[in-house]
Amino acid sequence: MIFIDACKRIETPYTPVWMMRQAGRYLSEYKEVRKQAGSFLDLCKNVDLASEVTLQPVDILNVDAAILFSDILVVPLEMGLGLEFVSGEGPRFLRTISNYDDVCSLKKDIAKNLDYVYDTISQVRARLPKDKALIGFCGSPWTLATYMIEGQGTKSYAKSKKMLYQSPQTLHYLLKQIADELKDYLLGQIRAGANCVMIFDSWAAALEKEAFFEFSWGYMKDIAREIKKQYPEIPVILFPKGVGAYLDDIDGEFDVFGVDWGTPLELAKSKLGSRYVLQGNLEPCRIYNEDAMEMGIDEIISIMGKRAGHIFNLGHGMLPDLPRENAIKLVEMVHKKTKR
Ligand code: CP3
């Protein structure tokens, strides 16, 4: 698999490409299946339909990897916080975590309740062409904790940071408990057939440098180390979004570092490129305009070159109104322009 070889810095015939949030509302085929499923969570739990939408971008865009269709929030859902997706407003938890007793009340050993995810992985792996990889994923403990504490998306992260500064041991207790569940969850995804796993730390940038390493990166590294210990051949991708100013202190046992669009790629290359394969980092909004997109692609290829060490991706997720025709062209252009 070209994508897996690239994760291991093995030379490939071209630079592999996939797109974060490649399954979603910018595809009419996705919207059709989503309607059939009912709610977003119904879609995540419906093995046949979740498999279908996982495979759609591989067929339509010709990306080199599929990413499991699910959501990072199914873990806190199974830990006992009721979850709903309010249309136009995003996720909302029915219960939130604000103190030590709340953390104690969370359900443990929940990875065994996520069979719908493992079954989707097995079905997708069976249907996916042999040369295409399947990526499993989870959210980082810190990013999941912010949703569990705030109950929904937030601009200030005030409740989460209040816990961090008023009762850091409570936050550590919560993060440790989430991290333990995530290890089992990712191991389950690998046993079901995932060829690679990725941890999304979407809200890393909410933390000051020292707080990021103590409350987020440490837990991500710990999960990565456990995966590499049990499955050394499975690549691990870590994506802490928005930490370009903290790159000097990035270390740990993992394979690929996801670079967000706000971090200059030449900076990431100079600080991390010799130790980790880099993934990224086209600004997704460039896809609105074909010329802007091609300029962005050329710039990235000129920095990363055509040798091993790079996986092409966006610097964050696809947006619901991006033109699919340009997304298709993006994959064609990357394959053609990086052909060895
Ligand atoms: O194609 C893929 O990348 C795989 C599927 C995937 C989804 N969510 C599907 C989804 C992945 C990898 C995620 C990760 C995720 N979910 C993250 C981390 C990555 C990132 O973007 O930073 C986060 C923070 C979430 C939480 C989440 N899920 C939010 C805030 C929302 C609402 C925002 C929105 O776009 O509506 C979701 C819903 C969600 N997850 C959708 C999809 C396709 C849209 C649901 C719909 O069909 O209406």
Side-chain angles (χ1 to χ4, degrees):
M1 285 181 251
I2 286 182
F3 172 83
I4 298 298
D5 284 348
C7 290
K8 298 177 178 176
R9 212 186 278 274
I10 295 168
E11 292 293 344
T12 52
Y14 53 82
T15 300
V17 48
W18 68 282
M19 290 180 231
M20 286 190 272
R21 290 281 188 103
Q22 63 191 15
R25 287 167 292 190
Y26 77 103
L27 294 175
S28 55
E29 294 88 340
Y30 168 83
K31 285 195 276 193
E32 198 49 49
V33 176
R34 165 90 151 72
K35 219 190 298 163
Q36 226 177 299
S39 73
F40 172 68
L41 278 175
D42 291 336
L43 176 54
C44 292
K45 291 181 180 181
N46 184 320
V47 172
D48 292 334
L49 297 183
S51 300
E52 192 61 40
V53 295
T54 302
L55 291 162
Q56 281 173 353
V58 178
D59 295 338
I60 298 166
L61 308 177
N62 191 31
V63 283
D64 296 285
I67 180 162
L68 161 73
F69 187 85
S70 184
D71 199 86
I72 61 169
L73 300 180
V74 297
V75 169
L77 168 68
E78 297 297 341
M79 289 174 88
L81 308 181
L83 172 65
E84 38 185 57
F85 281 83
V86 187
S87 73
E89 289 181 47
R92 204 155 280 215
F93 283 104
L94 307 180
R95 270 182 59 212
T96 57
I97 302 296
S98 46
N99 56 45
Y100 184 80
D101 288 343
D102 292 338
V103 183
C104 293
S105 75
L106 286 167
K107 286 189 199 155
K108 292 205 169 80
D109 212 4
I110 58 93
K112 62 180 185 323
N113 302 336
L114 286 153
D115 278 343
Y116 55 91
V117 172
Y118 313 133
D119 292 346
T120 302
I121 289 176
S122 302
Q123 183 179 140
V124 171
R125 192 52 274 177
R127 293 169 62 186
L128 198 60
K130 293 270 172 292
D131 60 332
K132 306 276 188 185
L134 174 57
I135 303 167
F137 72 89
C138 67
S140 73
W142 161 251
T143 288
L144 293 180
T146 65
Y147 282 103
M148 295 166 81
I149 296 166
E150 311 278 341
Q152 60 192 69
T154 165
K155 286 207 166 76
S156 68
Y157 307 89
K159 292 179 182 152
S160 311
K161 294 199 215 179
K162 184 175 172 195
M163 186 185 287
L164 192 157
Y165 291 111
Q166 283 190 342
S167 184
Q169 66 283 10
T170 302
L171 182 57
H172 273 306
Y173 185 49
L174 172 62
L175 293 166
K176 170 83 169 67
Q177 198 162 317
I178 299 169
D180 285 345
E181 301 298 340
L182 293 176
K183 286 177 194 168
D184 286 346
Y185 181 45
L186 291 182
L187 291 169
Q189 293 186 31
I190 293 167
R191 281 194 297 272
N195 306 112
C196 167
V197 291
M198 171 156 168
I199 306 178
F200 288 86
D201 192 12
S202 304
W203 310 137
L207 295 169
E208 297 161 79
K209 185 172 182 180
E210 274 180 32
F212 166 70
F213 285 100
E214 178 177 346
F215 293 92
S216 185
W217 188 248
Y219 289 94
M220 290 174 74
K221 276 203 307 194
D222 181 46
I223 297 167
R225 193 187 319 115
E226 184 65 26
I227 303 292
K228 295 307 289 184
K229 197 169 105 194
Q230 298 208 28
Y231 291 97
E233 75 288 0
I234 298 285
V236 175
I237 308 175
L238 300 185
F239 177 58
K241 184 174 181 291
V243 298
Y246 309 163
L247 298 184
D248 280 329
D249 293 353
I250 291 290
D251 69 343
E253 285 171 55
F254 62 99
D255 302 275
V256 182
F257 185 85
V259 185
D260 69 280
W261 59 265
T263 299
L265 195 54
E266 54 273 70
L267 182 74
K269 188 186 176 192
S270 72
K271 305 246 182 230
L272 301 175
S274 62
R275 281 182 288 146
Y276 303 108
V277 169
L278 300 182
Q279 173 173 278
N281 75 341
L282 188 80
E283 149 69 285
C285 292
R286 282 185 180 267
I287 298 174
Y288 284 118
N289 178 282
E290 194 183 329
D291 292 336
M293 179 175 87
E294 184 160 15
M295 278 168 63
I297 292 171
D298 288 343
E299 172 74 7
I300 288 170
I301 295 171
S302 79
I303 295 166
M304 294 309 300
K306 299 185 188 179
R307 304 293 307 279
H310 182 222
I311 293 160
F312 201 100
N313 203 316
L314 308 180
H316 201 195
M318 283 293 284
L319 299 169
D321 66 339
L322 287 171
R324 68 184 275 148
E325 294 317 314
N326 286 353
I328 294 169
K329 281 185 198 144
L330 184 157
V331 176
E332 278 170 13
M333 281 184 195
V334 172
H335 283 165
K336 204 163 137 213
K337 288 170 187 278
T338 62
K339 203 162 184 296
R340 323 301 199 218

